[in-house]
Amino acid sequence: MIENLPPCPECSSAYTYEMGAFLVCPECGHEWSPTAADPAGDTEDGVIKDAVGNALADGDTVTVIKTLKVKGHPTGIKAGTKVRNIRLVDGVAGHDIDCKIDGFGAMQLKSSVVKKA
């Protein structure tokens, strides 16, 4: 029995399955309701907002609000790190900020882990 389930809104995996009233992605572990109108939630009319609801724009300075692990780097990005001159992009898997962080180089961040400085 093959069902037509929507792909995961976080990682776009096609291997989603039902668990009770929710849909679950086995690859990233994301759970969501199939009746949710807009799974992204933080982009309304093209406005990208930070973790506390402030609208972000190109060139803003933001502060990382939680420690982030970085593959291949022993310490990661610590909470409180300032990131200057961000650029808003339509990135992969919810990463909507393109930036350059001292000591790490160019990378993309999610707007849910930063706040406007």
Side-chain angles (χ1 to χ4, degrees):
M1 181 158 112
I2 299 175
E3 297 180 19
N4 257 345
L5 295 175
C8 175
E10 292 291 315
C11 69
S12 301
S13 170
Y15 303 110
T16 58
Y17 62 91
E18 290 183 70
M19 181 182 285
F22 293 101
L23 295 176
V24 180
C25 176
E27 293 185 6
C28 70
H30 180 66
E31 296 180 4
W32 72 99
S33 173
T35 59
D38 184 18
D42 57 274
T43 58
E44 184 177 310
D45 297 330
V47 176
I48 297 175
K49 297 183 179 183
D50 66 1
V52 293
N54 298 321
L56 296 173
D58 286 346
D60 282 347
T61 298
V62 295
T63 304
V64 177
I65 60 171
K66 70 179 202 176
T67 302
L68 304 172
K69 293 181 181 178
V70 177
K71 214 178 218 183
H73 200 278
T75 59
I77 300 171
K78 296 185 179 185
T81 302
K82 285 202 177 208
V83 181
R84 291 177 175 80
N85 206 13
I86 65 169
R87 194 170 52 121
L88 302 178
V89 295
D90 186 25
V92 178
H95 294 82
D96 44 16
I97 297 174
D98 196 20
C99 61
K100 195 179 287 188
I101 301 176
D102 293 337
F104 293 94
M107 63 176 44
Q108 290 188 342
L109 298 173
K110 292 184 177 183
S111 60
S112 61
V113 298
V114 299
K115 72 175 183 177
K116 196 170 184 177

